[in-house]
Amino acid sequence: MPFIGEFSPPGDKSVSHRLVLMSLVAQGQMLVQGLSDCEDLKTSLKIFKSLGGRVEPEAQGLRFYGLEGKWPPPENLELMCDNSGTTIRLLMGLLAGRKGKYILDGDPQLRRRPMERVAEPLRLMGAKIETSSGKPPVVIEGQELMGIEYKLSEASAQLKSAVLLAGLSAQGPTTVSEPHPSRDHTERLIGYFGGQIEVQNQTMTVQPSDLRLRKFFLTPGDPSSAAFFLIAAAIIPGSRVTAQNLLLSRGRSGFLRVLDRMGAMVSLTMVSDTPEPTGDVTVTYNGPLVATDIPAEDIPSLIDEIPILALAATQAQGRTVFHQVDELRVKETDRLMGIRHQLGALGARLNSEGDDLIIDGPTSFILPESLDSGSDHRLAMTLSVALKAAGAPQVPILGRQSIVISYPSFDQHLAKLWHPVA
Ligand code: S3P
């Protein structure tokens, strides 16, 4: 029952968040085509509007009006970040140096997620931030900030971005270095919108800068969404799937390098390079996959794709090890536990040793009565693909409605690409 065909994945979620949130501190106006339509983005748009932002629909997309300098300094403004970790962490950086008092809160899943790692460097810059035992709600009273030099203890794009965005309004330069390369959209967009930023390997320095929006922005397709169908093609005989206009920066395409190493046929046609490298990607089934080793330094470039890559590993010959994936424990859910329990319920052999995830394959699927995604959108999509691969799409997945968090058109694309043969 192969996956066959072409599709255009939704606009990239990480880039979309940054476009919306950076418009809060930029001048000018910009027509954005293909902004992600997912629930997390609705959250960023809602907050953009509650801070006074203006966005208008047009035939070609959404027109954003930059808000720099036009913020009414609010007192105790509550900003509900719902389920979105990127919204809350980037906002912490953006608001720390802007006048006003803000309370950032979230839903029960977001209220479990660590915020001290973001608050800590911002405090070193002079920010006044309180978390609730390290988690949301987070209270910020905007202060004048000073640039710092800061070494991140973990490779997290959200954390790096928060410090860089705070650096835009600080006095003096702000330098951040990360232990392994993570997605670099914030750095690229600061430069693209006219900010002063220098990047050398894993160290970036931003100067206090004003940003100016560009006339037009075409949002590249989201690799973290496309991965579900591209990886399905790599594991199901007879499949061939093309994702168009996909974001292909190094920090986001780690899963394609892993698929290639595992023996899938992966071909790329680059379409554009600025502001983000994009292209069309085709994955063709090329016989059974072979296991691979994924070192810690590669994890940030495929962090959101680990659930679906883990499914691929269950079908590969040999032992696949994902090294140091402890970050998965603090995603929307404890994703490491979710992967182990739910793929385990399908017959996979998974273990964790310390912070490593170890998968021995290949395994044949066994069919449980139901599966439980724990309302984790990426796990829910992985389990949907797994059930197609197992030939048992009728097994119910609890919490499947969470898919709208990142990929509302997932079921439409699934129906288009999956070809059950009678
Ligand atoms: C994101 C960074 C990653 C990723 C998340 C989106 C971003 O989180 O998992 O889905 O847009 O910066 P971490 O920075 O916590 O690794």
Side-chain angles (χ1 to χ4, degrees):
M1 297 190 208
F3 278 74
I4 298 172
E6 296 186 353
F7 74 115
S8 292
D12 186 66
K13 181 156 91 72
S14 290
V15 170
S16 297
H17 277 302
R18 285 157 174 81
L19 293 176
V20 174
L21 297 176
M22 287 166 79
S23 296
L24 283 170
V25 295
Q27 296 170 4
Q29 46 176 284
M30 175 170 70
L31 182 63
V32 179
Q33 212 171 64
L35 194 81
S36 165
D37 59 349
C38 71
E39 288 301 303
D40 270 6
L41 247 293
K42 289 187 189 153
T43 296
S44 280
L45 278 169
K46 176 186 72 179
I47 287 176
F48 172 75
K49 288 182 195 156
S50 39
L51 286 166
R54 189 172 139 215
V55 51
E56 281 169 10
E58 289 186 7
Q60 300 286 306
L62 292 173
R63 182 168 298 279
F64 283 86
Y65 293 85
L67 245 200
E68 175 58 18
K70 295 183 209 129
W71 281 19
E75 268 309 309
N76 294 320
L77 181 65
E78 181 162 314
L79 300 171
M80 193 26 123
C81 301
D82 305 320
N83 194 254
S84 180
T86 307
T87 307
I88 193 167
R89 291 190 175 130
L90 267 52
L91 265 182
M92 284 170 73
L94 265 185
L95 298 177
R98 317 265 162 183
K99 284 199 180 103
K101 184 167 173 188
Y102 311 86
I103 301 153
L104 309 185
D105 205 351
D107 71 5
Q109 279 188 348
L110 194 69
R111 277 186 166 205
R112 285 183 47 242
R113 302 186 66 184
M115 298 297 145
E116 267 306 311
R117 55 170 73 178
V118 185
E120 192 185 291
L122 297 175
R123 283 193 201 109
L124 294 175
M125 297 175 81
K128 210 167 159 196
I129 301 190
E130 276 171 37
T131 63
S132 312
S133 309
K135 308 201 165 130
V138 175
V139 180
I140 302 177
E141 275 185 63
Q143 306 290 317
E144 297 226 329
L145 303 181
M146 294 288 297
I148 51 166
E149 279 184 31
Y150 193 74
K151 267 198 165 91
L152 303 180
S153 52
E154 54 253 290
S156 155
Q158 292 175 351
L159 170 48
K160 167 179 70 177
S161 300
V163 180
L164 292 175
L165 292 172
L168 287 174
S169 66
Q171 280 177 25
T174 299
T175 299
V176 189
S177 40
E178 51 184 353
H180 306 307
S182 67
R183 65 194 71 193
D184 61 355
H185 312 306
T186 304
E187 300 88 297
R188 281 177 187 269
L189 288 177
I190 287 178
Y192 192 62
F193 294 146
Q196 276 187 59
I197 185 154
E198 252 177 58
V199 180
Q200 277 199 333
N201 302 320
Q202 282 141 235
T203 300
M204 25 260 132
T205 300
V206 66
Q207 305 286 343
S209 316
D210 294 327
L211 303 183
R212 175 158 286 279
L213 299 176
R214 298 284 193 124
K215 269 196 186 136
F216 179 73
F217 196 99
L218 175 64
T219 318
D222 193 334
S224 304
S225 297
F228 295 101
F229 300 118
L230 294 173
I231 294 178
I235 59 178
I236 301 178
S239 298
R240 179 187 173 87
V241 169
T242 300
Q244 290 152 334
N245 188 37
L246 203 61
L247 171 58
L248 287 173
S249 55
R250 202 167 168 80
R252 297 298 298 283
S253 48
F255 77 99
L256 291 173
R257 293 187 286 280
V258 167
L259 276 190
D260 183 59
R261 281 210 304 276
M262 294 176 92
M265 197 186 289
V266 180
S267 65
L268 309 183
T269 311
M270 296 309 289
V271 172
S272 154
D273 199 36
T274 314
E276 295 275 1
T278 54
D280 298 340
V281 177
T282 301
V283 174
T284 310
Y285 180 78
N286 191 28
L289 297 178
V290 286
T292 190
D293 203 61
I294 302 160
E297 59 264 31
D298 290 351
I299 295 296
S301 71
L302 47 76
I303 183 80
D304 292 337
E305 291 70 71
I306 292 175
I308 186 73
L309 277 174
L311 174 66
T314 69
Q315 302 307 301
Q317 200 81 42
R319 171 167 285 197
T320 295
V321 183
F322 294 84
H323 290 271
Q324 291 177 35
V325 290
D326 43 316
E327 264 309 290
L328 291 182
R329 296 199 170 97
V330 288
K331 291 293 175 193
E332 286 80 334
T333 62
D334 179 344
R335 206 170 262 166
L336 189 55
M337 188 176 80
I339 292 170
R340 283 191 56 194
H341 286 178
Q342 299 305 308
L343 293 184
L346 282 164
R349 282 177 284 140
L350 304 98
N351 274 300
S352 48
E353 251 170 44
D355 291 329
D356 298 349
L357 173 65
I358 300 163
I359 302 176
D360 288 301
T363 43
S364 341
F365 292 110
I366 52 170
L367 297 180
E369 272 177 20
S370 67
L371 290 165
D372 188 354
S373 69
S375 295
D376 182 308
H377 53 121
R378 300 201 196 278
L379 190 55
M381 289 185 274
T382 298
L383 297 175
S384 301
V385 171
L387 290 173
K388 299 286 194 230
Q394 70 286 356
V395 173
I397 302 170
L398 302 177
R400 196 180 185 284
Q401 64 280 9
S402 59
I403 288 174
V404 294
I405 290 284
S406 64
Y407 196 173
S409 50
F410 176 79
D411 280 330
Q412 236 170 291
H413 290 167
L414 189 66
K416 175 180 156 99
L417 297 170
W418 187 55
H419 293 261
V421 265

